[in-house]
Structure formats: structure tokens, C-alpha cells
Amino acid sequence: MPYGTFFATLDFVDRIVPRKGPTDSPFLIEVLSGLKRIAVVQSENPWVTIEATVSGGVWIYFQNCRRWLLNPTHHYLRVETAIGRPTGEHDLKCNLKQGVESKSVVDMENPNFDQWRVRVGGLRLVWEFIEALPKPTDDTHSEVDNSHPRYFPGLVREAALAKFESTGKWCAGVAPQRKRHRLRANEPREFDHILPHSRGGASTHLNIQILCVECNRVKGASAG
Ligand SMILES: [Zn+2]
């Protein structure tokens, strides 16, 4: 599981698990399985990235834009749709509206702000929606919105560096040309977008790795 996903999961779970009482609630089990499904979607679909928020929620990015905020509480998942949300068959809002109509335990918390309260029985609507997000095609490549920041925020770099230092200073290498290898103590290190920014890779925990100068050069040359 990528580093960022791990922290997002911890935050998420921390918000759901009651201080006292059983930790095997149907809601918790459903949310954990949902997080796994998101991680699978993300690994298969470079348009989807997730990012943990300070408050313990998770932003789902699609095509580099913040689209949906999933915010857990002990009893339900609050889902907010962001400005500039996509329309059409893959609109989460449409999906949730159906849930309301069919009374599958989804209710609209605040219609003015597109906030939804999804209880355990309605969570599958959210996971199914995320799994159905369209995968990129050559056509969508030309429509990449690269308005997201090119550079990793300081906190993202700090976390990546801390992990790098504490886990043995491994350069990730460049498959298949260069294997991962350890860096010497004072060897310069560079931050790299795993999925290149030019191809829609976000500047988040999930998409950062540390490379040595040579590997970064090799990766840049092979991408170009
Ligand atoms: Zn290297």
C-alpha cells in the first residue's frame, strides 16, 4: 500500500473506531473494504489519486482536480462534491440521488452544498462509483488539466524524506533500466513524480518517490 494511502487509512479508521465498544461494526468493515477498493482503482487508473486531509478525510482527485471529499464519522460517511465536478453518467451526485430515491440509507445533508450522508447500506454506491471512473484513453490525454501544482508541497517532501532516511536510503530506481539501490550518505537526492506531472500525476504523498540524480535523469530521458 502506498505511503500516503497508509496514512489516509489510519486517519480514516481513527475517526470511525469508537473509543469503547466493538471494532467490528458493519460500518467499519464496509469502510475498510472501500479503502482497499479505492487503492486498487488508483493502482489501475492514473487519473485517480487520493490524498489525506488534515481533518482525517480523503480527497479523491480525478483528472487532477479535486472532485469528492469523503469524510468519515463514527456512523456515516459524509460525501461532498467539489466545485467543477464532472457531469454525466459517472457523476457521483446522480448515483447518490438514486440512493435517496430508493431509500437505500443515503440522505442529503445539505442540498445547497452537495453534502451527502451515507450510511452503511449506501456505501456500496460510493465504492461502485469510484470503481466505474473511466480509465484514460488517448483522447482524454489531450484534455489533461495541469492546473494542479507542479511541485510537491513542503509537507509531502518532508514526509517522503523522513521515510527515505528511516528505511535505508533506497533510490527507487527506474524499471526496467535501473534496479533500486542504496544511496551513499551524502549523495544528492531528488523528488520525483511516480506518474509524471505531464501525464496528470498529482503532487501528493501517493505520487512521490526519491531518486538519485542519475536515475532521475534516466527516467526523464525515457519519458521524453
Ligand atoms: Zn538511483
Side-chain angles (χ1 to χ4, degrees), residues 171 173 178 181 183 211-212 215:
C171 167
R178 289 169 67 87
H181 59 95
L183 291 195
L211 295 178
C212 70
C215 284

Side-chain angles (χ1 to χ4, degrees), residues 194-216:
I194 297 169
L195 176 71
H197 179 267
S198 59
R199 287 178 52 204
S203 299
T204 65
H205 288 292
L206 294 164
N207 197 38
I208 192 171
Q209 67 181 358
I210 289 179
L211 295 178
C212 70
V213 176
E214 178 61 14
C215 284
N216 207 9

